[in-house]
Amino acid sequence: MADYDYDLFVIGAGSGGVRAARLAAMSGARVAVAEESRVGGTCVIRGCVPKKFMVYASEYSKSFDTSRGYGWEIGETRFDWPKFLMAKDIEIARLSGIYVRNLQNAGAELFHGKARLTDRHTINVEGHGTVTAGKILVATGGRPWMPTDVSGIEHAITSNEAFHLEQLPKRIVVAGGGYIALEFACIFNGLGVDTTVVHRGPNVLRGFDDDIRSHVAEEMEARGIKVRLGTRITDIEKTADGLVSRCSDGHATTTDVVMFALGREPYTEGLGLDAAGVAVTENGAVKVDEYSRSSVDNIWAVGDVTDRINLTPVAIREGAAFAQTEFFNNPTTFDHEMVASAVFTQPQIGSVGLSEADARHKYGKVDIYMSKFRPMKETFYGGHQRAMIKLVVEQAGERILGCHVVAPDGPEIIQMAAIAMKMGVTKPQWDATCAVHPTLAEELVTMRDKVAPPSLGAVA
């Protein structure tokens, strides 16, 4: 590759791109990375990390109420939104700086500017000119999708802007029923904002187990979040009293902020993929094989830009697999089966494996074990939040196909369950595990009675 400026050029300094670049550089390869925004990508700058800080902040309102039930006397409480934003921004800047130092310490060169392919080996970087590379990795991630058929959509924000609102609104309507919409609805609700969710589907969280979907919607409503299903926002009008969101069912809601969270799309606009001959799907995702190679043999893509499983740890593993294959002579693929996921609603969701519906479709006969209960912490002071734990088990062989937890710290619980399920654990092996008492998670290994008749869940 001596004829090129770099052995590898990475477009995008998010989690997947940075991991691939660092590993490749550590092999001795000449590596450069271009990032048009801040180093760290969606997860660190405008996604998982700042969102989790907001989740933490929003959970305190319930914690204050709970503490009174445990004997604490608490005076008047007040949330300082500007103070929180400042602390959040300082921490995000620190984390972004770590990403930059890690790249530099590995020997990779960093360009700040938008990169665009002009052919399969040539990249033009805004403000830096043109360079060439033997191998190119596209890791530009995704961005919020906004509809074009909603009048007044210019008055709405996306999750990107939600992290930087100058003032905490008193009223908000969130359009969408996916995990981003529900997480932000719970965040704003926890911070004392009058919150409404509008979703055109019959239930929230499409793609998750139906019992999870119903349970979370019920718990959100119990917290005071208004969940309006089977309708969508058709137009937004700015008035003296706020933003009026009119829905397809004739209902109108007046709020200070309207947030759209209808999904994300691969960020491939302006990358010059067509000039390099890179094939993309109908929604703009880069088409790749199991080794993340695109239709052009010297160009790869990892992470959300490929629209496989849009999770940060997946992008990291895909980036690492690419580097192992191409720079360490160690052909490696990432197995996209049995990847656990978390939804930081309140209560939180941890899920791994198949939903009941998908398991029945794929395997036919399955057994269901499910428990809904008030956790010990709730029962003590008369709280009403309920947890739900569900196992989906294949009848032939008794392999556990799905594990779903809706509870405080559900994502923490599911991480360990995912290890066992990745190894093909069976229900008898699962049951042979001694419970840790007293914990919420012990319910996972104490369920012995099958649900009969089979759980039907919500309408898909």
Side-chain angles (χ1 to χ4, degrees), residues 358-430:
D358 288 342
R360 290 189 186 281
H361 178 75
K362 186 172 182 179
Y363 293 96
K365 294 181 178 181
V366 298
D367 291 326
I368 303 300
Y369 300 82
M370 186 165 64
S371 177
K372 292 185 180 182
F373 56 96
R374 285 191 303 157
M376 180 179 178
K377 187 175 183 179
E378 295 286 312
T379 59
F380 179 82
Y381 76 99
H384 301 289
Q385 180 173 284
R386 297 174 304 152
M388 189 197 85
I389 292 179
K390 181 175 181 179
L391 295 178
V392 182
V393 181
E394 182 185 13
Q395 280 192 5
E398 297 189 89
R399 182 164 58 101
I400 297 181
L401 303 174
C403 178
H404 312 285
V405 179
V406 185
D409 297 321
E412 305 290 347
I413 295 170
I414 210 67
Q415 179 67 83
M416 301 309 295
I419 298 172
M421 290 178 60
K422 189 73 172 178
M423 298 173 67
V425 67
T426 65
K427 186 63 164 60
Q429 291 171 330
W430 189 277

Side-chain angles (χ1 to χ4, degrees), residues 313-327:
V314 172
I316 291 172
R317 294 292 293 274
E318 289 172 353
F322 157 77
Q324 287 292 328
T325 301
E326 296 300 320
F327 293 95

Side-chain angles (χ1 to χ4, degrees), residues 80-83 85 157 161-169 257:
D80 190 330
W81 175 250
K83 181 178 180 180
L85 288 186
I157 67 168
E161 294 77 41
F163 293 113
H164 304 286
L165 292 172
E166 292 184 4
Q167 294 181 330
L168 184 66
V257 172

Side-chain angles (χ1 to χ4, degrees), residues 38-40 44-45 91-101:
R38 298 172 65 186
V39 174
V44 173
I45 307 300
E91 178 63 6
I92 296 306
R94 184 185 73 84
L95 294 174
S96 179
I98 290 174
Y99 270 60
V100 172
R101 288 194 297 276

Side-chain angles (χ1 to χ4, degrees), residues 46-187:
R46 65 194 74 86
C48 321
V49 174
K51 175 196 69 184
K52 191 67 180 291
F53 292 145
M54 293 177 79
V55 169
Y56 286 140
S58 68
E59 289 176 334
Y60 279 101
S61 58
K62 185 176 188 302
S63 296
F64 291 140
D65 289 337
T66 302
S67 68
R68 294 184 179 97
Y70 278 84
W72 287 89
E73 293 295 335
I74 296 178
E76 182 181 354
T77 60
R78 184 180 68 87
F79 178 67
D80 190 330
W81 175 250
K83 181 178 180 180
F84 167 77
L85 288 186
M86 182 180 296
K88 181 262 297 180
D89 290 342
I90 290 172
E91 178 63 6
I92 296 306
R94 184 185 73 84
L95 294 174
S96 179
I98 290 174
Y99 270 60
V100 172
R101 288 194 297 276
N102 286 343
L103 282 172
Q104 293 172 338
N105 290 341
E109 186 174 354
L110 178 61
F111 292 95
H112 290 281
K114 184 176 179 65
R116 179 176 59 86
L117 298 173
T118 56
D119 61 42
R120 58 184 291 167
H121 287 289
T122 308
I123 310 100
N124 179 267
V125 184
E126 185 178 13
H128 298 277
T130 297
V131 297
T132 59
K135 301 178 190 290
I136 296 171
L137 176 67
V138 179
T140 47
R143 61 182 178 181
W145 177 84
M146 290 287 274
T148 58
D149 61 347
V150 176
S151 176
I153 190 66
E154 68 274 10
H155 300 305
I157 67 168
T158 70
S159 57
N160 287 353
E161 294 77 41
F163 293 113
H164 304 286
L165 292 172
E166 292 184 4
Q167 294 181 330
L168 184 66
K170 294 181 179 178
R171 306 161 297 176
I172 190 171
V173 60
V174 181
Y179 73 93
I180 295 175
L182 299 195
E183 288 175 337
F184 273 99
C186 289
I187 287 169

